[in-house]
Amino acid sequence: MENYMLTEQDFLVASISQLSISGSSSPPVVARFRSESLRFESESDSEEPVQFDLRNCQLFKLGPFQSLCISEASELNKEKSYSGGITIQFRNEEESRAFHCAFEQWKKEVVIQGSSLPNGSVTPSASKFDDKIEASSAKMYFHYYGQLLHQQNMMQDYVRTGTYYAAVIENRVDFVDRVVVDVGAGSGILSLFAAQAGAKHVYAVEASDMAEYARKLIAGNPLLSQRITVIKGKVEEVELPEKADILISEPMGTLLVNERMLESYIIARDRFLGPNGKMFPTIGRIHMAPFSDEYLYTEIANKALFWQQQNYYGVNLTPLHGTAFQGYFSQPVVDAFDPRLLVAPAISHVLDFITAKEEELYEIDIPLRFVSSVGTRIHGLACWFDVLFNGSTVQRWLTTAPGAPTTHWYQLRCVLSQPIYVMPGQEITGRLHMVAHKAQSYTLNLTLSVKSWGPGAEQGGILQTSSGKFDLKEPYYRMSQPQAYPMSQDQQGHHLLHTQDVQLQSQDEEGSDLLQQSV
């Protein structure tokens, strides 16, 4: 994507020496990566800048703090052009490593931009990300996260940010002298946390223009900045000079999987994480429970009343009422709701980021089985998620559950256009089928059914069933505080924390111990 190519980058190096004239060193200079060139400029006007063409130069390590940059003679006129080079002295090993990483990234960018097709046009190399995601969706996505106001919105979610900070700082043993990769670094705040915890070096990988802001923020924290390298690019494409001991990322979207960044997190694991490496977060769980909310159902249904007008400026709108009615019910509702609206204990679907395969996220099929605690009308399925930071010292959960402190993720509810009736103790079964699509989200197919009640129930007949199709990309944001709904006698004593975890294939013996913790 042309809008997100590298444009410029600066490094301060201790000195450079021309190989062709003398061994004397220059005063400190700034190494500037610009377009297709690498230029070394001194603050002194008496010193001529030294420039290399990234297309035909190479960089070699002479030692921990010293490197050699060689420019090859022009292929077009080798008789009248000469090879040249300089030695570069760095102030420390971290700066040397960062410079080499930047050099490889810039050189790769130049090679990609210069790969001509037969018709003379230029194309970037296609990545797995480009194959899966529509270009228009990716452009909007990276534009959104390239703006500081959206980063601020996430950073001001103190449940989110505070939990990440605590998970890192309380588990310093996992970060001290370790190499860390921050996947989708955004503002770089998690990279700074990792550096505070003693990381040896942090590679902050960010594909949007926020990478430039991250560099600025990190540079403004000089005690930490020498151990952080910001790399602009997608994790599917960038190259790193070494393997990571730990990955840190905030890849969660609405319902955990929206925006499909979890796939990039897993790709980063496969590409960058060394043997026995750690991932923060380690495990994700999607929690689901049926709910009853007459207020919400009426609110959605009433939106379509506009289309029941038979004389709208002389026009009969009713032919579109049914389509509009279903359209409003196809939007998942994102808001914070009162947990007393749940009519059965929740079940969970587990995603273990250490072992999950990327392809497993393309389609997620969750069987549903609940036992109703009350007699009521069920209006749909409520969902939320939590993630575990499985540190060596402290295991910390970040939850978006109803009744817990509200996060910027809120919760999500799929409201069915046809409610179903249940009695206390009645079994509710169904299926939540989630299919990824190229707009970086999912189509949700929900079915809920209630078995017969009374004589003949042992025959297994279905009395009621209701289903709906929802686009996770197009939710209805209903950002209001939970309403104080009256609690009936038969609802008292039912609490969210009585979670009914379903045994899933992704749970092993070790993981199941972790999952016994409360939502």
Side-chain angles (χ1 to χ4, degrees):
M1 291 171 30
E2 291 183 0
N3 292 343
Y4 306 105
M5 291 178 179
L6 295 171
T7 55
E8 58 181 66
Q9 193 172 1
D10 295 352
F11 283 86
L12 180 64
V13 299
S15 65
I16 62 173
S17 302
Q18 291 277 6
L19 294 181
S20 57
I21 47 178
S22 70
S24 60
S25 299
S26 71
V29 300
V30 175
R32 300 187 186 278
F33 290 97
R34 297 289 187 275
S35 186
E36 299 178 353
S37 68
L38 170 58
R39 186 180 177 92
F40 294 88
E41 301 175 357
S42 172
E43 295 182 357
S44 171
D45 295 336
S46 60
E47 296 285 340
E48 286 293 323
V50 179
Q51 183 163 313
F52 292 90
D53 188 332
L54 285 170
R55 293 171 297 186
N56 57 16
C57 70
Q58 298 184 59
L59 187 65
F60 303 94
K61 271 185 176 289
L62 300 179
F65 310 131
Q66 195 174 48
S67 296
L68 174 66
C69 188
I70 298 290
S71 175
E72 300 174 7
S74 171
E75 290 290 337
L76 298 177
N77 192 357
K78 284 195 173 183
E79 293 183 359
K80 294 187 178 181
S81 64
Y82 304 95
S83 298
I86 58 171
T87 57
I88 308 169
Q89 185 71 31
F90 296 96
R91 294 178 297 181
N92 52 58
E93 190 172 355
E94 286 76 18
E95 290 186 0
S96 171
R97 177 166 40 207
F99 183 85
H100 274 259
C101 186
F103 181 89
E104 292 301 321
Q105 190 66 24
W106 277 88
K107 193 171 179 66
K108 178 184 176 184
E109 190 84 14
V110 169
V111 170
I112 289 172
Q113 295 180 37
S115 57
S116 298
L117 297 175
N119 63 3
S121 62
V122 175
T123 181
S125 61
S127 71
K128 199 165 189 179
F129 181 92
D130 297 323
D131 292 338
K132 295 188 302 183
I133 304 301
E134 293 175 351
S136 58
S137 176
K139 182 176 181 180
M140 291 177 61
Y141 175 77
F142 291 127
H143 173 73
Y144 180 90
Y145 284 107
Q147 300 179 65
L148 279 174
L149 70 157
H150 297 305
Q151 295 292 328
Q152 179 178 337
N153 177 52
M154 293 184 289
M155 292 171 70
Q156 286 182 321
D157 179 345
Y158 296 114
V159 176
R160 164 198 180 269
T161 308
T163 302
Y164 267 89
Y165 180 78
V168 173
I169 299 303
E170 291 172 350
N171 290 288
R172 288 178 182 271
V173 66
D174 294 321
F175 290 86
V176 171
D177 294 329
R178 304 295 172 85
V179 175
V180 180
V181 173
D182 184 355
V183 180
S187 66
I189 190 69
L190 300 185
S191 297
L192 290 162
F193 290 171
Q196 286 180 16
K200 178 183 177 183
H201 201 83
V202 184
Y203 296 98
V205 182
E206 172 58 39
S208 79
D209 286 343
M210 186 53 57
E212 302 303 325
Y213 295 111
R215 288 191 182 108
K216 190 172 183 179
L217 179 64
I218 290 166
N221 292 267
L223 294 179
L224 305 173
S225 62
Q226 292 187 358
R227 290 181 284 123
I228 303 175
T229 301
V230 178
I231 300 172
K232 187 175 182 183
K234 304 185 187 80
V235 294
E236 293 85 352
E237 300 171 7
V238 301
E239 300 295 336
L240 300 181
E242 57 189 325
K243 288 291 187 179
D245 300 301
I246 184 167
L247 298 187
I248 189 168
S249 182
E250 198 267 74
M252 300 89 72
T254 306
L255 194 59
L256 183 62
V257 296
N258 189 40
E259 297 178 341
R260 298 185 63 179
M261 192 182 163
L262 283 177
E263 294 165 41
S264 296
Y265 188 40
I266 289 173
I267 289 171
R269 177 202 68 193
D270 294 340
R271 297 192 67 208
F272 305 135
L273 191 61
N276 302 315
K278 282 188 168 288
M279 297 177 74
F280 271 38
T282 317
I283 286 173
R285 302 189 298 184
I286 300 173
H287 301 273
M288 299 145 287
F291 73 92
S292 178
D293 191 341
E294 295 287 352
Y295 294 100
L296 175 61
Y297 179 83
T298 303
E299 177 186 332
I300 296 174
N302 284 346
K303 289 182 176 184
L305 289 178
F306 171 83
W307 297 97
Q308 284 191 330
Q309 299 180 78
Q310 296 181 0
N311 188 11
Y312 180 76
Y313 295 96
V315 177
N316 180 11
L317 301 181
T318 58
L320 295 180
H321 174 260
T323 303
F325 184 84
Q326 293 300 327
Y328 284 120
F329 277 97
S330 71
Q331 291 184 283
V333 177
V334 175
D335 70 348
F337 64 84
D338 191 320
R340 290 176 294 180
L341 297 176
L342 302 177
V343 302
I347 64 172
S348 303
H349 179 75
V350 182
L351 293 173
D352 186 341
F353 304 138
I354 297 291
T355 60
K357 297 179 180 178
E358 177 202 353
E359 292 76 14
E360 294 173 356
L361 298 176
Y362 294 172
E363 189 171 347
I364 302 172
D365 198 19
I366 306 174
L368 305 175
R369 181 185 175 277
F370 309 97
V371 176
S372 177
S373 304
V374 295
T376 186
R377 287 212 309 174
I378 291 177
H379 294 102
L381 189 71
C383 308
W384 61 96
F385 71 87
D386 55 21
V387 292
L388 170 67
F389 301 90
N390 189 22
S392 298
T393 306
V394 176
Q395 295 177 350
R396 184 169 286 274
W397 290 90
L398 168 58
T399 182
T400 65
T406 304
T407 70
H408 78 284
W409 290 287
Y410 296 89
Q411 294 97 39
L412 180 136
R413 287 185 283 176
C414 296
V415 186
L416 295 169
S417 59
Q418 180 60 54
I420 57 178
Y421 295 82
V422 293
M423 299 292 288
Q426 196 164 8
E427 184 179 70
I428 306 157
T429 59
R431 178 188 186 208
L432 179 62
H433 187 216
M434 306 163 63
V435 181
H437 58 64
K438 288 196 169 186
Q440 289 175 276
S441 194
Y442 284 76
T443 298
L444 311 179
N445 296 285
L446 170 65
T447 300
L448 290 179
S449 301
V450 176
K451 290 187 177 181
S452 304
W453 191 260
E458 66 277 1
Q459 305 301 321
I462 298 298
L463 177 63
Q464 303 172 73
T465 186
S466 184
S467 61
K469 185 177 182 179
F470 307 86
D471 187 354
L472 190 56
K473 180 81 171 183
E474 301 291 341
Y476 164 36
Y477 289 104
R478 185 176 180 253
M479 303 307 192
S480 59
Q481 291 301 312
Q483 299 182 36
Y485 293 96
M487 191 192 313
S488 60
Q489 285 295 113
D490 53 3
Q491 284 180 302
Q492 294 184 19
H494 170 61
H495 297 288
L496 173 67
L497 295 183
H498 297 160
T499 302
Q500 174 186 332
D501 283 342
V502 172
Q503 294 299 317
L504 300 168
Q505 292 182 355
S506 58
Q507 296 180 3
D508 54 23
E509 292 183 2
E510 182 180 359
S512 62
D513 293 335
L514 297 174
L515 301 180
Q516 297 304 315
Q517 302 195 29
S518 67
V519 181

